[in-house]
Amino acid sequence: MARILLTDDEEAVRGFVRRALEMDGHDVTPAFDGADALDKLVEADGGFDLLLTDIRMPMMDGIALALAAARDYPSLTILLMTGYADQRERAAGLDALIHDVVTKPFSLDQIRAAVADALGAGAARMTA
């Protein structure tokens, strides 16, 4: 299955999403904020199929992370998450760089479907 870099500063959300994605057989690497995620992304030389990140986090937020990831690893599929309407609006200008924004709270089925959709779109983009 896919290698996913999961970034969220809330341990409960990170654990919930990680378990959901591992149920589908994905290899999930957790990160606790954008700076941690960027370090892991660089360490793996961009070797992930999907970056799934919360937008609102301390240190480096998900938008800054998405911009850095898209700049350095343009083939990486990026999926954002947020529970804040104003953060979703901030992400609207990133349509060319990100696949979608998932609104929190979400169910296990919703996040698994969003990830499957993003991975499918990423695979289709790579073969086109």
Side-chain angles (χ1 to χ4, degrees), residues 28-74:
V28 180
T29 300
F32 57 85
D33 67 24
D36 183 39
L38 188 57
D39 287 346
K40 290 177 179 185
L41 190 58
V42 169
E43 184 179 302
D45 194 27
F48 291 94
D49 301 299
L50 177 68
L51 170 60
L52 174 58
T53 184
D54 191 21
I55 293 177
R56 189 170 174 177
M57 296 181 292
M59 298 294 288
M60 173 186 264
D61 73 5
I63 301 242
L65 174 59
L67 290 169
R71 177 195 66 220
D72 296 341
Y73 308 103

Side-chain angles (χ1 to χ4, degrees), residues 11 16 51 69 88 102 112 119:
E11 186 175 340
F16 172 79
L51 170 60
R88 187 174 182 88
V102 180
R112 291 167 71 197
L119 290 169

Side-chain angles (χ1 to χ4, degrees), residues 65-123:
L65 174 59
L67 290 169
R71 177 195 66 220
D72 296 341
Y73 308 103
S75 64
L76 180 64
T77 301
I78 301 170
L79 183 61
L80 301 177
M81 312 179 276
T82 190
Y84 300 92
D86 63 324
Q87 298 301 313
R88 187 174 182 88
E89 290 171 12
R90 281 184 58 216
L94 302 177
D95 290 341
L97 303 178
I98 64 167
H99 175 72
D100 199 4
V101 180
V102 180
T103 303
K104 293 179 180 180
F106 44 72
S107 69
L108 283 173
D109 289 339
Q110 289 169 321
I111 194 63
R112 291 167 71 197
V115 165
D117 183 60
L119 290 169

